[in-house]
Amino acid sequence: MNKYIDFDLSTENWDLGWGKILDKPQKDRQKLIDINRVKFSRSIKLCSDCTRSEVYMIWGNLYQSIHEYPQSLIRLRKALAIKPDSVMAIEALGSCLNALNKHDEALMCFKKALQLASYSPGAHQGILQTLQHLNKFEDYESIYEEF
């Protein structure tokens, strides 16, 4: 089996496979993306709700890594529809929204992540990056006063 499309739920293996896609010419890249899309779709049918949410989140992160943000947004929202309190999925959604220049929505995601896990470095970093996009660093302290 081709090492680029081996199906394994461990994040390291997914990242390796999709990372290699970026090194391929565009026509080969699309073929590999399509193959992985089919494998993800099959995996969704076989998973419990918890795992299904994780698969959608991984799928969303992979689309984000190849700059297909609208596709990422769809998958991350599906992950959160299944498991709305997933801090990792909320942070990933915030990052995706930042990439789509939807900074106000992104900020809401990162605030929600902080409400669920105040220790989350991803949420703190996401807030800083979002405020930078919005040129509102002065709001930094007021955001943390809410918590």
Side-chain angles (χ1 to χ4, degrees):
M1 180 171 278
N2 186 328
K3 70 178 180 178
Y4 301 118
I5 58 171
D6 285 346
F7 184 75
D8 183 342
L9 280 177
S10 69
T11 305
E12 298 84 24
N13 288 336
W14 284 107
D15 289 345
L16 281 173
W18 280 71
K20 296 288 184 185
I21 288 174
L22 294 175
D23 296 336
K24 299 293 181 190
Q26 184 61 39
K27 67 180 178 81
D28 295 338
R29 186 183 308 173
Q30 189 57 50
K31 182 178 179 182
L32 291 171
I33 290 170
D34 291 342
I35 290 169
N36 276 308
R37 185 178 293 128
V38 169
K39 288 186 172 271
F40 267 113
S41 296
R42 287 182 193 152
S43 70
I44 293 295
K45 294 174 186 170
L46 303 173
C47 296
S48 68
D49 281 347
C50 181
T51 308
R52 185 174 294 135
S53 172
E54 292 167 5
V55 171
Y56 275 123
M57 186 187 68
I58 292 168
W59 199 358
N61 286 336
L62 293 173
Y63 272 118
Q64 206 169 141
S65 73
I66 58 173
H67 309 288
E68 290 195 22
Y69 300 111
Q71 292 296 322
S72 174
L73 197 62
I74 291 167
R75 283 13 177 245
L76 293 170
R77 287 192 168 142
K78 284 183 179 185
L80 287 167
I82 296 166
K83 191 175 177 190
D85 61 344
S86 170
V87 174
M88 290 175 61
I90 294 167
E91 291 171 353
L93 179 61
S95 296
C96 185
L97 289 165
N98 265 338
L100 291 167
N101 293 318
K102 297 181 178 187
H103 304 301
D104 292 326
E105 289 179 65
L107 189 57
M108 288 190 311
C109 287
F110 294 122
K111 284 181 178 182
K112 182 177 180 182
L114 273 183
Q115 288 172 343
L116 294 170
S118 61
Y119 55 84
S120 170
H124 291 281
Q125 181 181 0
I127 286 174
L128 284 172
Q129 289 173 340
T130 305
L131 291 175
Q132 181 180 6
H133 288 296
L134 294 170
N135 292 319
K136 292 185 176 182
F137 277 119
E138 66 277 2
D139 292 350
Y140 182 73
E141 286 184 24
S142 66
I143 287 173
Y144 285 99
E145 287 173 4
E146 297 174 22
F147 302 98

